[in-house]
mmCIF file with all atom_site columns, all heavy atoms in Angstrom:
data_model
loop_
_atom_site.group_PDB
_atom_site.id
_atom_site.type_symbol
_atom_site.label_atom_id
_atom_site.label_alt_id
_atom_site.label_comp_id
_atom_site.label_asym_id
_atom_site.label_entity_id
_atom_site.label_seq_id
_atom_site.pdbx_PDB_ins_code
_atom_site.Cartn_x
_atom_site.Cartn_y
_atom_site.Cartn_z
_atom_site.occupancy
_atom_site.B_iso_or_equiv
_atom_site.pdbx_formal_charge
_atom_site.auth_seq_id
_atom_site.auth_comp_id
_atom_site.auth_asym_id
_atom_site.auth_atom_id
_atom_site.pdbx_PDB_model_num
ATOM 1   N N   . ASN Z 1 110 ? 15.693 1.305   -11.098 1.00 0.00 ? 406 ASN Z N   1
ATOM 2   C CA  . ASN Z 1 110 ? 15.431 0.059   -10.258 1.00 0.00 ? 406 ASN Z CA  1
ATOM 3   C C   . ASN Z 1 110 ? 13.982 -0.183  -10.246 1.00 0.00 ? 406 ASN Z C   1
ATOM 4   O O   . ASN Z 1 110 ? 13.237 0.520   -9.533  1.00 0.00 ? 406 ASN Z O   1
ATOM 5   C CB  . ASN Z 1 110 ? 15.966 0.201   -8.821  1.00 0.00 ? 406 ASN Z CB  1
ATOM 6   C CG  . ASN Z 1 110 ? 17.465 0.314   -8.725  1.00 0.00 ? 406 ASN Z CG  1
ATOM 7   O OD1 . ASN Z 1 110 ? 18.152 -0.701  -9.305  1.00 0.00 ? 406 ASN Z OD1 1
ATOM 8   N ND2 . ASN Z 1 110 ? 18.076 1.269   -8.203  1.00 0.00 ? 406 ASN Z ND2 1
ATOM 9   N N   . ALA Z 1 133 ? 13.845 -9.668  -1.727  1.00 0.00 ? 429 ALA Z N   1
ATOM 10  C CA  . ALA Z 1 133 ? 15.043 -9.701  -2.609  1.00 0.00 ? 429 ALA Z CA  1
ATOM 11  C C   . ALA Z 1 133 ? 14.703 -8.839  -3.906  1.00 0.00 ? 429 ALA Z C   1
ATOM 12  O O   . ALA Z 1 133 ? 15.665 -8.074  -4.255  1.00 0.00 ? 429 ALA Z O   1
ATOM 13  C CB  . ALA Z 1 133 ? 15.322 -11.156 -2.966  1.00 0.00 ? 429 ALA Z CB  1
ATOM 14  N N   . ILE Z 1 134 ? 13.611 -9.123  -4.512  1.00 0.00 ? 430 ILE Z N   1
ATOM 15  C CA  . ILE Z 1 134 ? 13.505 -8.543  -5.854  1.00 0.00 ? 430 ILE Z CA  1
ATOM 16  C C   . ILE Z 1 134 ? 13.101 -7.022  -5.783  1.00 0.00 ? 430 ILE Z C   1
ATOM 17  O O   . ILE Z 1 134 ? 13.613 -6.150  -6.430  1.00 0.00 ? 430 ILE Z O   1
ATOM 18  C CB  . ILE Z 1 134 ? 12.488 -9.317  -6.695  1.00 0.00 ? 430 ILE Z CB  1
ATOM 19  C CG1 . ILE Z 1 134 ? 12.866 -10.743 -7.001  1.00 0.00 ? 430 ILE Z CG1 1
ATOM 20  C CG2 . ILE Z 1 134 ? 12.169 -8.512  -8.021  1.00 0.00 ? 430 ILE Z CG2 1
ATOM 21  C CD1 . ILE Z 1 134 ? 11.875 -11.549 -7.699  1.00 0.00 ? 430 ILE Z CD1 1
ATOM 22  N N   . ASN Z 1 135 ? 12.204 -6.731  -4.856  1.00 0.00 ? 431 ASN Z N   1
ATOM 23  C CA  . ASN Z 1 135 ? 11.636 -5.334  -4.817  1.00 0.00 ? 431 ASN Z CA  1
ATOM 24  C C   . ASN Z 1 135 ? 12.595 -4.426  -4.022  1.00 0.00 ? 431 ASN Z C   1
ATOM 25  O O   . ASN Z 1 135 ? 12.409 -3.211  -4.141  1.00 0.00 ? 431 ASN Z O   1
ATOM 26  C CB  . ASN Z 1 135 ? 10.250 -5.300  -4.145  1.00 0.00 ? 431 ASN Z CB  1
ATOM 27  C CG  . ASN Z 1 135 ? 9.241  -6.160  -4.823  1.00 0.00 ? 431 ASN Z CG  1
ATOM 28  O OD1 . ASN Z 1 135 ? 9.637  -7.007  -5.781  1.00 0.00 ? 431 ASN Z OD1 1
ATOM 29  N ND2 . ASN Z 1 135 ? 7.953  -5.746  -4.724  1.00 0.00 ? 431 ASN Z ND2 1
ATOM 30  N N   . LEU Z 1 136 ? 13.356 -4.916  -3.024  1.00 0.00 ? 432 LEU Z N   1
ATOM 31  C CA  . LEU Z 1 136 ? 14.180 -4.039  -2.202  1.00 0.00 ? 432 LEU Z CA  1
ATOM 32  C C   . LEU Z 1 136 ? 15.664 -4.291  -2.372  1.00 0.00 ? 432 LEU Z C   1
ATOM 33  O O   . LEU Z 1 136 ? 16.339 -3.442  -2.672  1.00 0.00 ? 432 LEU Z O   1
ATOM 34  C CB  . LEU Z 1 136 ? 13.776 -4.176  -0.769  1.00 0.00 ? 432 LEU Z CB  1
ATOM 35  C CG  . LEU Z 1 136 ? 14.526 -3.465  0.331   1.00 0.00 ? 432 LEU Z CG  1
ATOM 36  C CD1 . LEU Z 1 136 ? 14.494 -1.945  0.034   1.00 0.00 ? 432 LEU Z CD1 1
ATOM 37  C CD2 . LEU Z 1 136 ? 14.037 -3.737  1.651   1.00 0.00 ? 432 LEU Z CD2 1
ATOM 38  N N   . SER Z 1 137 ? 16.109 -5.526  -2.101  1.00 0.00 ? 433 SER Z N   1
ATOM 39  C CA  . SER Z 1 137 ? 17.505 -5.729  -2.061  1.00 0.00 ? 433 SER Z CA  1
ATOM 40  C C   . SER Z 1 137 ? 18.227 -5.600  -3.382  1.00 0.00 ? 433 SER Z C   1
ATOM 41  O O   . SER Z 1 137 ? 19.334 -5.098  -3.473  1.00 0.00 ? 433 SER Z O   1
ATOM 42  C CB  . SER Z 1 137 ? 17.871 -7.165  -1.580  1.00 0.00 ? 433 SER Z CB  1
ATOM 43  O OG  . SER Z 1 137 ? 17.293 -7.423  -0.386  1.00 0.00 ? 433 SER Z OG  1
ATOM 44  N N   . SER Z 1 138 ? 17.586 -5.875  -4.496  1.00 0.00 ? 434 SER Z N   1
ATOM 45  C CA  . SER Z 1 138 ? 18.141 -5.693  -5.838  1.00 0.00 ? 434 SER Z CA  1
ATOM 46  C C   . SER Z 1 138 ? 18.411 -4.166  -6.057  1.00 0.00 ? 434 SER Z C   1
ATOM 47  O O   . SER Z 1 138 ? 19.427 -3.772  -6.780  1.00 0.00 ? 434 SER Z O   1
ATOM 48  C CB  . SER Z 1 138 ? 17.271 -6.209  -7.003  1.00 0.00 ? 434 SER Z CB  1
ATOM 49  O OG  . SER Z 1 138 ? 16.155 -5.367  -7.195  1.00 0.00 ? 434 SER Z OG  1
ATOM 50  N N   . THR Z 1 139 ? 17.537 -3.286  -5.475  1.00 0.00 ? 435 THR Z N   1
ATOM 51  C CA  . THR Z 1 139 ? 17.877 -1.915  -5.541  1.00 0.00 ? 435 THR Z CA  1
ATOM 52  C C   . THR Z 1 139 ? 19.153 -1.486  -4.907  1.00 0.00 ? 435 THR Z C   1
ATOM 53  O O   . THR Z 1 139 ? 19.892 -0.646  -5.382  1.00 0.00 ? 435 THR Z O   1
ATOM 54  C CB  . THR Z 1 139 ? 16.601 -1.189  -5.052  1.00 0.00 ? 435 THR Z CB  1
ATOM 55  O OG1 . THR Z 1 139 ? 15.463 -1.475  -5.682  1.00 0.00 ? 435 THR Z OG1 1
ATOM 56  C CG2 . THR Z 1 139 ? 16.812 0.381   -4.995  1.00 0.00 ? 435 THR Z CG2 1
ATOM 57  N N   . PHE Z 1 140 ? 19.368 -2.038  -3.750  1.00 0.00 ? 436 PHE Z N   1
ATOM 58  C CA  . PHE Z 1 140 ? 20.715 -1.889  -3.102  1.00 0.00 ? 436 PHE Z CA  1
ATOM 59  C C   . PHE Z 1 140 ? 21.858 -2.361  -3.896  1.00 0.00 ? 436 PHE Z C   1
ATOM 60  O O   . PHE Z 1 140 ? 22.793 -1.648  -4.115  1.00 0.00 ? 436 PHE Z O   1
ATOM 61  C CB  . PHE Z 1 140 ? 20.635 -2.640  -1.702  1.00 0.00 ? 436 PHE Z CB  1
ATOM 62  C CG  . PHE Z 1 140 ? 21.895 -2.891  -1.066  1.00 0.00 ? 436 PHE Z CG  1
ATOM 63  C CD1 . PHE Z 1 140 ? 22.824 -1.837  -0.742  1.00 0.00 ? 436 PHE Z CD1 1
ATOM 64  C CD2 . PHE Z 1 140 ? 22.419 -4.211  -0.995  1.00 0.00 ? 436 PHE Z CD2 1
ATOM 65  C CE1 . PHE Z 1 140 ? 24.210 -2.233  -0.292  1.00 0.00 ? 436 PHE Z CE1 1
ATOM 66  C CE2 . PHE Z 1 140 ? 23.778 -4.517  -0.615  1.00 0.00 ? 436 PHE Z CE2 1
ATOM 67  C CZ  . PHE Z 1 140 ? 24.566 -3.533  -0.200  1.00 0.00 ? 436 PHE Z CZ  1
ATOM 68  N N   . TYR Z 1 141 ? 21.790 -3.549  -4.346  1.00 0.00 ? 437 TYR Z N   1
ATOM 69  C CA  . TYR Z 1 141 ? 22.902 -4.258  -5.101  1.00 0.00 ? 437 TYR Z CA  1
ATOM 70  C C   . TYR Z 1 141 ? 23.158 -3.419  -6.385  1.00 0.00 ? 437 TYR Z C   1
ATOM 71  O O   . TYR Z 1 141 ? 24.362 -3.211  -6.764  1.00 0.00 ? 437 TYR Z O   1
ATOM 72  C CB  . TYR Z 1 141 ? 22.687 -5.655  -5.459  1.00 0.00 ? 437 TYR Z CB  1
ATOM 73  C CG  . TYR Z 1 141 ? 22.756 -6.508  -4.254  1.00 0.00 ? 437 TYR Z CG  1
ATOM 74  C CD1 . TYR Z 1 141 ? 21.665 -7.247  -3.664  1.00 0.00 ? 437 TYR Z CD1 1
ATOM 75  C CD2 . TYR Z 1 141 ? 24.000 -6.732  -3.599  1.00 0.00 ? 437 TYR Z CD2 1
ATOM 76  C CE1 . TYR Z 1 141 ? 21.764 -8.042  -2.535  1.00 0.00 ? 437 TYR Z CE1 1
ATOM 77  C CE2 . TYR Z 1 141 ? 24.100 -7.520  -2.420  1.00 0.00 ? 437 TYR Z CE2 1
ATOM 78  C CZ  . TYR Z 1 141 ? 22.963 -8.203  -2.002  1.00 0.00 ? 437 TYR Z CZ  1
ATOM 79  O OH  . TYR Z 1 141 ? 22.992 -8.988  -0.888  1.00 0.00 ? 437 TYR Z OH  1
ATOM 80  N N   . ALA Z 1 142 ? 22.255 -2.917  -7.171  1.00 0.00 ? 438 ALA Z N   1
ATOM 81  C CA  . ALA Z 1 142 ? 22.328 -2.124  -8.318  1.00 0.00 ? 438 ALA Z CA  1
ATOM 82  C C   . ALA Z 1 142 ? 22.980 -0.791  -8.036  1.00 0.00 ? 438 ALA Z C   1
ATOM 83  O O   . ALA Z 1 142 ? 23.814 -0.371  -8.702  1.00 0.00 ? 438 ALA Z O   1
ATOM 84  C CB  . ALA Z 1 142 ? 21.072 -2.095  -9.165  1.00 0.00 ? 438 ALA Z CB  1
ATOM 85  N N   . THR Z 1 143 ? 22.304 -0.200  -7.033  1.00 0.00 ? 439 THR Z N   1
ATOM 86  C CA  . THR Z 1 143 ? 22.880 1.171   -6.688  1.00 0.00 ? 439 THR Z CA  1
ATOM 87  C C   . THR Z 1 143 ? 24.248 1.177   -6.180  1.00 0.00 ? 439 THR Z C   1
ATOM 88  O O   . THR Z 1 143 ? 25.033 1.986   -6.530  1.00 0.00 ? 439 THR Z O   1
ATOM 89  C CB  . THR Z 1 143 ? 21.796 1.673   -5.597  1.00 0.00 ? 439 THR Z CB  1
ATOM 90  O OG1 . THR Z 1 143 ? 20.536 1.779   -6.072  1.00 0.00 ? 439 THR Z OG1 1
ATOM 91  C CG2 . THR Z 1 143 ? 22.256 3.136   -5.207  1.00 0.00 ? 439 THR Z CG2 1
ATOM 92  N N   . ARG Z 1 144 ? 24.693 0.145   -5.425  1.00 0.00 ? 440 ARG Z N   1
ATOM 93  C CA  . ARG Z 1 144 ? 26.011 -0.021  -4.920  1.00 0.00 ? 440 ARG Z CA  1
ATOM 94  C C   . ARG Z 1 144 ? 26.971 -0.169  -5.992  1.00 0.00 ? 440 ARG Z C   1
ATOM 95  O O   . ARG Z 1 144 ? 28.042 0.484   -6.044  1.00 0.00 ? 440 ARG Z O   1
ATOM 96  C CB  . ARG Z 1 144 ? 26.124 -1.126  -3.897  1.00 0.00 ? 440 ARG Z CB  1
ATOM 97  C CG  . ARG Z 1 144 ? 27.436 -1.178  -3.205  1.00 0.00 ? 440 ARG Z CG  1
ATOM 98  C CD  . ARG Z 1 144 ? 27.566 -2.293  -2.154  1.00 0.00 ? 440 ARG Z CD  1
ATOM 99  N NE  . ARG Z 1 144 ? 27.536 -3.661  -2.826  1.00 0.00 ? 440 ARG Z NE  1
ATOM 100 C CZ  . ARG Z 1 144 ? 27.680 -4.669  -2.037  1.00 0.00 ? 440 ARG Z CZ  1
ATOM 101 N NH1 . ARG Z 1 144 ? 27.884 -4.658  -0.715  1.00 0.00 ? 440 ARG Z NH1 1
ATOM 102 N NH2 . ARG Z 1 144 ? 27.586 -5.865  -2.562  1.00 0.00 ? 440 ARG Z NH2 1
ATOM 103 N N   . ASN Z 1 160 ? 14.181 5.051   -8.557  1.00 0.00 ? 456 ASN Z N   1
ATOM 104 C CA  . ASN Z 1 160 ? 13.586 3.858   -7.943  1.00 0.00 ? 456 ASN Z CA  1
ATOM 105 C C   . ASN Z 1 160 ? 12.008 3.855   -8.114  1.00 0.00 ? 456 ASN Z C   1
ATOM 106 O O   . ASN Z 1 160 ? 11.414 4.798   -7.802  1.00 0.00 ? 456 ASN Z O   1
ATOM 107 C CB  . ASN Z 1 160 ? 13.904 3.623   -6.502  1.00 0.00 ? 456 ASN Z CB  1
ATOM 108 C CG  . ASN Z 1 160 ? 15.433 3.646   -6.314  1.00 0.00 ? 456 ASN Z CG  1
ATOM 109 O OD1 . ASN Z 1 160 ? 16.123 3.064   -7.133  1.00 0.00 ? 456 ASN Z OD1 1
ATOM 110 N ND2 . ASN Z 1 160 ? 15.931 4.281   -5.211  1.00 0.00 ? 456 ASN Z ND2 1
ATOM 111 N N   . VAL Z 1 183 ? 12.273 0.918   0.021   1.00 0.00 ? 479 VAL Z N   1
ATOM 112 C CA  . VAL Z 1 183 ? 12.857 1.550   -1.126  1.00 0.00 ? 479 VAL Z CA  1
ATOM 113 C C   . VAL Z 1 183 ? 12.904 3.026   -0.867  1.00 0.00 ? 479 VAL Z C   1
ATOM 114 O O   . VAL Z 1 183 ? 13.917 3.732   -1.225  1.00 0.00 ? 479 VAL Z O   1
ATOM 115 C CB  . VAL Z 1 183 ? 12.024 1.137   -2.411  1.00 0.00 ? 479 VAL Z CB  1
ATOM 116 C CG1 . VAL Z 1 183 ? 12.364 2.017   -3.554  1.00 0.00 ? 479 VAL Z CG1 1
ATOM 117 C CG2 . VAL Z 1 183 ? 12.244 -0.272  -2.819  1.00 0.00 ? 479 VAL Z CG2 1
ATOM 118 N N   . PHE Z 1 186 ? 15.602 3.895   1.637   1.00 0.00 ? 482 PHE Z N   1
ATOM 119 C CA  . PHE Z 1 186 ? 16.875 3.694   0.955   1.00 0.00 ? 482 PHE Z CA  1
ATOM 120 C C   . PHE Z 1 186 ? 17.248 4.848   -0.032  1.00 0.00 ? 482 PHE Z C   1
ATOM 121 O O   . PHE Z 1 186 ? 18.319 5.419   -0.061  1.00 0.00 ? 482 PHE Z O   1
ATOM 122 C CB  . PHE Z 1 186 ? 16.891 2.284   0.169   1.00 0.00 ? 482 PHE Z CB  1
ATOM 123 C CG  . PHE Z 1 186 ? 18.149 2.072   -0.561  1.00 0.00 ? 482 PHE Z CG  1
ATOM 124 C CD1 . PHE Z 1 186 ? 19.325 1.614   0.068   1.00 0.00 ? 482 PHE Z CD1 1
ATOM 125 C CD2 . PHE Z 1 186 ? 18.264 2.030   -1.970  1.00 0.00 ? 482 PHE Z CD2 1
ATOM 126 C CE1 . PHE Z 1 186 ? 20.518 1.451   -0.546  1.00 0.00 ? 482 PHE Z CE1 1
ATOM 127 C CE2 . PHE Z 1 186 ? 19.431 1.755   -2.690  1.00 0.00 ? 482 PHE Z CE2 1
ATOM 128 C CZ  . PHE Z 1 186 ? 20.551 1.444   -1.961  1.00 0.00 ? 482 PHE Z CZ  1
#
Side-chain angles (χ1 to χ4, degrees):
N406 290 307
I430 297 173
N431 297 21
L432 176 59
S433 302
S434 76
T435 298
F436 156 68
Y437 286 113
T439 301
R440 187 174 70 175
N456 297 325
V479 167
F482 180 70

